[in-house]
Amino acid sequence: MRIFVTGASGWIGSALVPELIDAGHQVVGLARSEASAAALTEAGAEVVRGTVDDLDVLRTAATGSDAVIHLAFKHDIAFSGDFQGASDADRRAVDTFGEALAGTDRPFVIASGVAGLKSGQLATEQDMPETTGSPVAGRAATSMAVLDLASRGVRSSVVRLSPTCHGDGDNGFMAALVAIAREKGLSGYLGDGANRWPAVHRLDAARLFRLAVEKAPAGSVLHGTAEEGVPIREVAEVIGRHLDVPVASVSADDAAGHFGWMAGFVGLDAPVSSARTRELLDWHPTGPGLLEDLEKGHYFRPTTPTH
């Protein structure tokens, strides 16, 4: 297939592009910079210049492709506090793709998240997210809109990713927690730290997207969770040991001051099953678990970004 990929040079995209090419697909990647374009060319992909805000570019690329995988998300503004703005831009892009693909039966796969499902209970692919009242509600609503495209002749599917897609080079939530602990001199968690985050290695996530575009039925919800739930206190303990800083609970009153923009996420208790996804697509994660990956030490290099 000729597959158009947004976010193709990003964290998961840079693993997905070779995964797709090795499987015999032709990749067309969206690039917003010269560096991204060069990386995609080196990886063997065709380049389309533009951003997720260039809706005409997205429409043309989707129309000329056999499938679309939408990974791009404005993490830069989301991680600086404007999650709503990032979600709004994402919805405009998704609606554009939906219009271009309607009635074609072509695959359309997007990245979403597992946040906002069943807090404190094991969530499955059958659980639907809350689309109002939370920081991630807008992105959840977008994922529901993509599933609705199945009724409009699109083989749509949503890959709900773990809060952390970890690995060497990760600049996401785990890197942010490390940076906060380094800055504050304390590796913290909320309450007793028993709240759990599901996790997946970046390479396992990339493989799941390939399987989704190849064979996921229309309207599929897929879970990119290799581990159902890792207690955040255990994460904090590994971080504290590697940075040689104390590990302690942070009170709810002090959460915003300590964790900053992460305060709304660090207390998330969201164990998530991927049993149905594994059975449906024959997906078998093989990468290291989150704690094992943290123990490798790459998150603790002095140059680790803040986000």
Side-chain angles (χ1 to χ4, degrees):
M1 286 187 287
R2 178 181 172 88
I3 304 173
F4 178 53
V5 182
T6 71
S9 61
W11 176 234
I12 295 175
S14 58
L16 175 61
V17 168
E19 176 81 24
L20 292 171
I21 291 174
D22 288 348
H25 301 293
Q26 179 185 1
V27 176
V28 181
L30 184 69
R32 64 178 180 174
S33 68
E34 290 291 346
S36 294
L40 289 173
T41 299
E42 184 177 355
E46 182 181 330
V47 175
V48 170
R49 291 300 299 269
T51 73
V52 292
D53 293 321
D54 297 323
L55 302 184
D56 287 341
V57 172
L58 302 186
R59 186 179 297 106
T60 299
T63 301
S65 300
D66 300 312
V68 174
I69 300 178
H70 177 49
L71 302 178
F73 190 75
K74 292 186 172 183
H75 289 101
D76 51 349
I77 67 171
F79 282 2
S80 63
D82 189 12
F83 204 96
Q84 186 60 52
S87 296
D88 290 344
D90 189 49
R91 180 58 181 267
R92 289 190 293 270
V94 162
D95 287 345
T96 298
F97 286 134
E99 293 166 6
L101 297 173
T104 66
D105 291 322
R106 295 176 187 170
F108 177 34
V109 185
I110 74 158
S112 190
V114 296
L117 295 177
K118 295 168 65 175
S119 179
Q121 302 178 56
L122 185 67
T124 73
E125 293 86 346
Q126 293 177 309
D127 292 309
M128 293 297 112
E130 292 292 333
T131 56
T132 58
S134 79
V136 296
R139 202 172 190 191
T142 297
S143 72
M144 299 299 288
V146 170
L147 295 178
D148 288 343
L149 289 172
S151 65
R152 297 177 56 197
V154 181
R155 183 158 68 80
S156 60
S157 58
V158 173
V159 177
R160 294 175 181 163
L161 290 169
S162 304
T164 176
C165 295
H166 55 87
D168 193 354
D170 174 20
N171 291 336
F173 284 136
M174 285 301 113
L177 287 175
V178 170
I180 291 167
R182 180 180 278 121
E183 176 190 352
K184 301 292 186 180
L186 174 73
S187 181
Y189 53 87
L190 292 181
D192 62 4
N195 60 295
R196 298 150 291 177
W197 277 22
V200 65
H201 192 273
R202 166 186 178 239
L203 297 181
D204 288 322
R207 190 180 317 114
L208 177 57
F209 277 100
R210 175 180 64 80
L211 293 172
V213 79
E214 288 177 344
K215 59 184 181 180
S220 293
V221 173
L222 308 167
H223 278 178
T225 56
E227 295 177 280
E228 291 186 349
V230 181
I232 289 299
R233 179 170 182 168
E234 295 183 17
V235 171
E237 288 170 348
V238 175
I239 292 173
R241 185 168 66 253
H242 278 264
L243 294 181
D244 194 23
V245 299
V247 180
S249 175
V250 175
S251 71
D253 290 342
D254 295 333
H258 183 86
F259 292 107
W261 65 270
M262 279 281 291
F265 296 96
V266 73
L268 182 71
D269 185 31
V272 176
S273 169
S274 61
R276 184 177 183 276
T277 298
R278 297 179 193 224
E279 180 179 358
L280 182 66
L281 299 182
D282 197 28
W283 177 60
H284 302 288
T286 59
L290 176 57
L291 298 179
E292 179 185 354
D293 206 13
L294 283 167
E295 293 286 13
K296 292 177 183 293
H298 51 79
Y299 277 97
F300 306 100
R301 296 169 187 149
T303 54
T304 301
T306 57
H307 56 73

